[in-house]
Amino acid sequence: MNDKTPVIQAKNLDLTFQTNDGPIHALKDVSLDIMKGDFVSFIGPSGCGKTTFLRVIAALEEPTGGSVTVNGMTPDEARRARAYGYVFQAAGLYPWRTIEGNIRLPLEIMDFSKSEMRERIDRVLQLVDLEGFGKKFPWQLSGGMQQRASIARALAFDADILLMDEPFGALDEIVRDHLNEQLLRLWDKTHKTIGFVTHSIPEAVYLSTRIVVMSPRPGRITDVIENTLPRDRPLDIRDTPEFLEIAHRVREGLRAGHAYED
Amino acid sequence: MNAAARSFGVSLPGFVLLSTLGLSLADGSGLTGVAIALAAVVMGWFTIRALAEHFKTQRWARLAAPILLGVLILVLWEVTVRALEVPFVILPPPSAIGSKITNSMPLLWADMVQTVVKGALSGYVMGCGAAFLTAISVDRSPFLKRGLLPVGNFVAALPIIGTAPILVMWFGFDWESKAAVVVAMVFFPMLVNTVAGLSETTAMQRDLMHTYAATYRQTLFKLRLPAAMPFVFNGLKISSTLALIGAIVAEFFGSPTLGMGFRISTSVGQLALNIVWAEIVVAAIVGSAFYGSLAMIEKGVTFWHPSQRG
Amino acid sequence: MMRNILSILTVVAAIIGLWYLLCIPMNMHEATQQAQRAGAEVTPATASERLQLGGIALAVQNPTLWPGAFGQDRPRLPSPDQVVAELWNTTGAMVLSGRSMTKRSLVFHGWITLSATLLGFVFGTGLGIILAVGIVHSRAMDMSVMPWAIASQTIPILALAPMIIVVLNSVGLQGLIPKAIISAYLSFFPVVVGMVKGLRAPGMMQLDLMRTYNATRGQTLWKLRLPASMPYLFASLKIGISASLIGAIVGELPTGAVRGLGARMLTGSYYGQTIQIWSALFAAAILAALLVGTIGLIQRRTLKRMGMQP
Ligand SMILES: Nc1ncnc2c1ncn2[C@@H]1O[C@H](COP(=O)(O)OP(=O)(O)OP(=O)(O)O)[C@@H](O)[C@H]1O
Ligand SMILES: [Mg+2]
């Protein structure tokens, strides 16, 4: 399934933040191709530049060196073509809008029709198990529910590329499993291209077609692991030897990155 | 409950009795009257303490305590002034002020309309409106914003009320000049608050709009204006007090023979302090009503803000 | 930093430019009048016809007479350079010639106003801090006094000023003290409200820590509450000192005082001496800026030494 056209192409990407305590090399010489329909997970210790890489792809950050193209365009052109659904590390819902209102926000901005909005809101609310909470305000919901609402918001307008920054970090295991399944099903159905940051090895292995292992100071890619699991993945696939084998390789990759540091 | 009953059982009747006693034999009673009044104050204070002790969480107690303090001060004022026969031209008793208010309703009303409705309110609407629009129009230029914010903060701290004589000279004695003073007084506080409010979004909220490729207008209406509302209302509330002050004080520099500031300055000259106090009471009521209604609208608009949820 | 200064300078320059521009229509009537007397051609030819026209229309019809709009004796709007010249003549020049304490010197008038401001401010803030400490430590005071202190912020208590001046005048108190009283109560309330907030700023954990040390209430006050309240104190001191200055200025209006910045504005407005009003207004503004700036400086120093600000 990786033999399709690359959607995202990063070549020798560098990003240095100039701070008061000197420059921080958040990304150094990062090259990666993400194919159409790929589900790429990014994993690595805190501060290794996972968020920064997603932000560069979404044109929220300007690289200081190298190049990125998205669908053959610059990230900013792709942004203006509304190619991205972005889920931030925190929910970031607008407190003055209800949950529905928050999901409606991108739909309003992109000029969807009233009936279309209604239909999409109901659909994504159901997808993240928040039916019945649409009229509530964000601060009346738990942190995990808020995070689910922010996922619903990103799914509502059907962008081709979903960029998710630790979307399930704040959720309990059961809900997390459920959402993992839902996300896989959605991806299977829609053939979206997904970039997914996580700290959980099982989650990365369960979800992705490829796992990108990163390490910090300077932030760079140390390993890219092809996931050979079949595309159809029931939850209990996580107990199979194949699964554990891949998870083991990811862990080894992470260890190697850490060892480099010492 | 027993302890509460005990402390109230003594202090509340004590306060009521002593107050009634003091009020009934006040006139010319000299130091005796003052002593009774002071005793009543002590009893009243014990009542407030009992309230605070036993009913601190009740809503009615939170309301009763300040009212009781007000009553206490009024009793002390009334009895002392009448007992010591303080001349009216120095301090009239509250009862005299009260009857003056009920007797001069039409006059007070006309003054209020002249000063508050014509002067303060029109200037307030114009000044705040202009400041709001200015804030939005400079919003697109970070260069101007960086300059306007310190200058605005600086001007907001200046005694703008001093422009009153100039503006009265320019716009004549009637309400137009008062409105002009109010505009000058409220413009900068409102501007500074709105400008600050418009930059009150978090980086993540802005990034979100960025990923949607939202236009400037969409970001303004869907994100920045709603986020600015707590600041806008802060500006509106500060300005409401300033508007009343401006309209009243500007009348000291010239006005038609009407208006609260006019009445205060001329009656003070004639030592007719009853009516001065009456005007001040009206000003206090109008001021707090104005502020209170703004606070209520604010509650409705910024219900989502942590300060309103708490 | 540099960019900020450039922005500020641009805004200030724009304001001064606008001011100059505004001088033309504002003073055009007088300019045409003078030009006609000097034998120049003026359209329209008669003064009554010109009065029908607005300043802008008149300026458009007589573009050659624009220079006459500047440098008049009693302009409706003096130009910035006239105000600056008058300010210099009544301050710096007077100091240089050793006449800084004469009636024509703004240094003298400024000092009269400043002394009342400072005296009142010191008393007002002192009492305000004491009351705030009381409110934080006594639930009864918190419940009964605090609502009034907050309400005082919403009503134009400045309107009491003329009465205080006149009443104290009638019992023989004149000059400094009555004005200082006004300054005192105007700075009192903002300091009470700000300090109560500040003294309550320490979090539950910090207070619990003091409790584990078995610290007395006095120790908690000195070692925790007062230091924690410093940012709030300075914020309210800045508000308080501006309010005090305004109080002193307004206090100079009602009795026809002849000394002080307020008196300069009042006499200026009686005699149509616009340049005098403007220079008194700017002197007041400069004074306010200096006072607020001084407090800001002390604030920076203090907070830095306490490690509360980088
Ligand atoms: N705006 C910024 N200015 C300066 N430095 C930054 C900025 N954003 C990120 N950094 C630095 O860049 C590095 C990478 O940050 P990034 O947020 O991408 O890490 P991350 O891998 O997402 O970590 P985490 O797992 O904790 O979210 C960090 O060292 C961080 O301090
Ligand atoms: Mg991150």
Side-chain angles (χ1 to χ4, degrees):
Chain A
M1 74 186 58
N2 292 338
D3 52 0
K4 296 173 190 156
T5 47
V7 176
I8 299 166
Q9 273 187 302
K11 270 207 196 70
N12 310 110
L13 213 57
D14 280 321
L15 199 152
T16 313
F17 289 110
Q18 297 301 337
T19 68
N20 291 336
D21 314 326
I24 294 179
H25 297 279
L27 294 175
K28 182 142 176 74
D29 201 22
V30 170
S31 298
L32 185 72
D33 284 1
I34 300 179
M35 306 296 160
K36 175 141 181 55
D38 251 0
F39 194 130
V40 179
S41 286
F42 297 88
I43 196 163
S46 190
C48 68
K50 305 179 296 288
T51 299
T52 308
F53 188 45
L54 282 203
R55 289 174 62 83
V56 169
I57 295 173
L60 293 171
E61 215 79 69
E62 190 71 31
T64 46
S67 70
V68 203
T69 57
V70 177
N71 291 328
M73 298 180 267
T74 67
D76 203 54
E77 284 161 349
R79 176 182 69 84
R80 270 181 265 136
R82 286 162 176 162
Y84 305 114
Y86 199 112
V87 180
F88 291 88
Q89 212 163 342
L93 301 168
Y94 290 1
W96 54 85
R97 283 172 173 256
T98 58
I99 297 301
E100 278 187 19
N102 271 286
I103 298 172
R104 196 183 302 113
L105 175 75
L107 304 178
E108 285 171 8
I109 289 174
M110 299 172 192
D111 287 327
F112 281 78
S113 73
K114 276 261 152 45
S115 55
E116 179 87 18
M117 283 188 198
R118 185 70 262 158
E119 190 231 313
R120 280 166 182 264
I121 290 169
D122 289 341
R123 182 158 53 83
V124 293
L125 273 178
Q126 192 183 356
L127 205 65
V128 298
D129 274 338
L130 281 177
E131 304 113 309
F133 290 96
K135 298 278 188 286
K136 289 259 192 279
F137 283 94
W139 29 274
Q140 297 169 324
L141 265 54
S142 74
M145 291 162 99
Q146 291 180 29
Q147 187 62 19
R148 268 142 66 196
S150 86
I151 296 167
R153 181 178 61 185
L155 295 176
F157 58 98
D158 269 333
D160 285 337
I161 302 172
L162 264 185
L163 300 173
M164 309 177 87
D165 194 349
E166 288 183 51
F168 305 143
L171 306 179
D172 68 79
E173 281 292 323
I174 304 299
V175 174
R176 199 172 171 142
D177 282 353
H178 175 69
L179 286 177
N180 277 345
E181 258 189 310
Q182 293 282 344
L183 184 60
L184 261 191
R185 204 170 298 157
L186 181 94
W187 168 68
D188 200 32
K189 219 165 53 192
T190 58
H191 303 285
K192 284 183 195 300
T193 311
I194 298 182
F196 188 96
V197 173
T198 180
H199 279 292
S200 153
I201 296 175
E203 186 171 73
V205 177
Y206 177 69
L207 289 172
S208 17
T209 54
R210 275 197 298 163
I211 299 152
V212 176
V213 181
M214 298 178 71
S215 82
R217 271 164 302 242
R220 66 203 181 285
I221 295 176
T222 47
D223 201 358
V224 178
I225 297 163
E226 291 290 333
N227 193 338
T228 49
L229 291 176
R231 202 173 165 128
D232 181 35
R233 300 172 187 176
L235 273 174
D236 48 27
I237 202 172
R238 293 180 295 187
D239 300 325
T240 61
E242 293 94 320
F243 186 96
L244 296 175
E245 157 67 22
I246 297 169
H248 182 72
R249 278 178 55 200
V250 175
R251 177 162 289 117
E252 288 299 304
L254 278 171
R255 286 237 179 83
H258 272 282
Y260 184 90
E261 218 176 303
D262 301 327
Chain B
M1 194 58 226
N2 254 343
R6 238 177 295 133
S7 48
F8 273 112
V10 180
S11 59
L12 190 56
F15 172 61
V16 173
L17 273 176
L18 284 168
S19 302
T20 335
L21 184 67
L23 287 171
S24 56
L25 51 78
D27 290 310
S29 58
L31 288 179
T32 330
V34 178
I36 295 174
L38 284 176
V41 166
V42 171
M43 281 297 157
W45 183 249
F46 280 134
T47 317
I48 294 176
R49 274 185 48 175
L51 266 181
E53 192 87 7
H54 302 289
F55 299 100
K56 54 179 178 270
T57 51
Q58 255 88 335
R59 268 184 80 93
W60 65 266
R62 299 223 143 253
L63 206 67
I67 292 175
L68 203 57
L69 180 71
V71 172
L72 207 129
I73 288 169
L74 286 182
V75 168
L76 180 67
W77 176 354
E78 176 82 28
V79 177
T80 312
V81 164
R82 275 165 51 192
L84 300 181
E85 293 177 314
V86 176
F88 264 40
V89 295
I90 290 179
L91 187 63
S95 57
I97 299 169
S99 61
K100 189 77 200 173
I101 293 177
T102 44
N103 291 339
S104 339
M105 275 300 181
L107 183 78
L108 291 172
W109 178 255
D111 285 349
M112 204 276 288
V113 169
Q114 170 74 18
T115 305
V116 177
V117 180
K118 289 188 185 165
L121 204 58
S122 63
Y124 179 78
V125 171
M126 284 190 278
C128 290
F132 188 78
L133 294 179
T134 310
I136 288 182
S137 53
V138 299
D139 180 60
R140 293 194 84 156
S141 157
F143 180 78
L144 274 184
K145 233 167 40 178
R146 272 200 309 273
L148 210 58
L149 210 54
V151 172
N153 266 318
F154 175 74
V155 177
L158 299 182
I160 303 285
I161 189 75
T163 57
I166 297 160
L167 293 172
V168 170
M169 227 179 249
W170 287 356
F171 293 96
F173 279 179
D174 211 345
W175 64 269
E176 291 90 345
S177 60
K178 315 305 175 290
V181 173
V182 173
V183 169
M185 283 188 77
V186 303
F187 183 81
F188 282 100
M190 183 67 192
L191 179 72
V192 170
N193 270 289
T194 311
V195 168
L198 284 173
S199 21
E200 194 51 25
T201 50
T202 64
M204 200 202 296
Q205 292 171 332
R206 288 192 299 274
D207 284 346
L208 184 71
M209 292 311 253
H210 201 65
T211 64
Y212 297 154
T215 63
Y216 170 80
R217 283 175 65 91
Q218 286 172 327
T219 311
L220 182 67
F221 282 107
K222 296 197 189 297
L223 170 60
R224 306 193 32 239
L225 276 181
M229 279 306 139
F231 282 72
V232 170
F233 272 97
N234 192 33
L236 286 176
K237 287 196 299 193
I238 294 171
S239 298
S240 76
T241 317
L242 289 176
L244 272 188
I245 291 173
I248 292 175
V249 173
E251 289 180 1
F252 296 168
F253 288 94
S255 66
T257 56
L258 193 67
M260 301 166 80
F262 164 80
R263 194 77 53 206
I264 288 174
S265 60
T266 51
S267 307
V268 150
Q270 302 152 1
L271 293 176
L273 293 195
N274 279 355
I275 190 74
V276 176
W277 277 105
E279 293 283 0
I280 287 167
V281 170
V282 173
I285 294 172
V286 170
S288 33
F290 195 2
Y291 193 96
S293 34
L294 279 172
M296 246 152 68
I297 301 174
E298 179 185 24
K299 223 183 164 95
V301 174
T302 65
F303 63 92
W304 49 271
H305 195 258
S307 67
Q308 301 286 349
R309 282 188 251 142
Chain C
M1 196 60 208
M2 257 337 272
R3 292 193 319 175
N4 277 359
I5 290 172
L6 201 64
S7 298
I8 294 171
L9 287 181
T10 311
V11 169
V12 171
I15 291 173
I16 294 177
L18 263 179
W19 183 351
Y20 269 111
L21 213 60
L22 206 62
C23 282
I24 297 171
M26 286 298 282
N27 301 331
M28 210 54 207
H29 285 94
E30 177 65 21
T32 50
Q33 201 80 358
Q34 282 178 5
Q36 196 162 43
R37 247 180 265 134
E41 193 73 25
V42 175
T43 38
T46 66
S48 58
E49 276 175 299
R50 286 199 296 271
L51 274 180
Q52 300 295 311
L53 284 179
I56 296 176
L58 201 60
V60 170
Q61 292 183 21
N62 299 280
T64 53
L65 299 180
W66 288 6
F70 301 96
Q72 297 171 359
D73 261 355
R74 292 182 180 192
R76 282 181 75 199
L77 175 61
S79 59
D81 56 277
Q82 279 180 302
V83 176
V84 171
E86 169 79 5
L87 265 177
W88 171 250
N89 288 336
T90 51
T91 54
M94 293 231 146
V95 173
L96 290 183
S97 62
R99 295 183 296 145
S100 57
M101 280 300 157
T102 60
K103 279 266 164 72
R104 255 186 56 70
S105 164
L106 273 186
V107 178
F108 167 73
H109 292 288
W111 168 248
I112 297 289
T113 305
L114 179 65
S115 53
T117 304
L118 289 181
L119 185 65
F121 174 70
V122 168
F123 272 93
T125 43
L127 291 175
I129 293 172
I130 292 173
L131 185 67
V133 170
I135 286 177
V136 170
H137 287 100
S138 151
R139 187 170 295 129
M141 277 177 90
D142 181 26
M143 277 173 72
S144 56
V145 180
M146 199 55 193
W148 291 109
I150 292 172
S152 74
Q153 304 282 78
T154 71
I155 60 185
I157 45 177
L158 188 61
L160 284 169
M163 188 166 54
I164 290 172
I165 297 288
V166 170
V167 166
L168 291 183
N169 200 6
S170 74
V171 298
L173 261 180
Q174 272 174 345
L176 184 68
I177 303 292
K179 287 191 282 175
I181 290 177
I182 297 168
S183 290
Y185 80 70
L186 284 179
S187 55
F188 173 76
F189 289 108
V191 170
V192 171
V193 175
M195 268 311 266
V196 167
K197 216 187 248 167
L199 292 172
R200 293 215 171 112
M204 217 51 224
M205 203 181 68
Q206 288 166 310
L207 285 170
D208 283 346
L209 185 69
M210 293 307 267
R211 202 163 299 139
T212 64
Y213 299 156
N214 193 24
T216 63
R217 267 146 67 109
Q219 286 169 324
T220 309
L221 179 67
W222 279 110
K223 303 216 180 292
L224 177 59
R225 288 189 188 273
L226 276 177
S229 72
M230 281 304 134
Y232 296 83
L233 174 66
F234 282 109
S236 37
L237 287 185
K238 282 183 190 165
I239 300 171
I241 194 97
S242 331
S244 281
L245 181 63
I246 291 171
I249 291 173
V250 172
E252 285 160 352
L253 302 178
T255 46
V258 288
R259 309 191 310 171
L261 294 176
R264 286 292 279 186
M265 291 178 195
L266 197 65
T267 50
S269 94
Y270 281 158
Y271 301 113
Q273 295 283 4
T274 44
I275 302 182
Q276 179 184 323
I277 305 180
W278 279 89
S279 59
L281 178 62
F282 270 76
I286 293 168
L287 198 56
L290 286 178
L291 290 172
V292 175
T294 310
I295 292 181
L297 214 68
I298 301 173
Q299 172 182 29
R300 199 115 34 89
R301 285 272 172 82
T302 316
L303 294 189
K304 203 169 188 168
R305 270 206 5 215
M306 293 173 57
M308 297 174 95
Q309 207 176 54

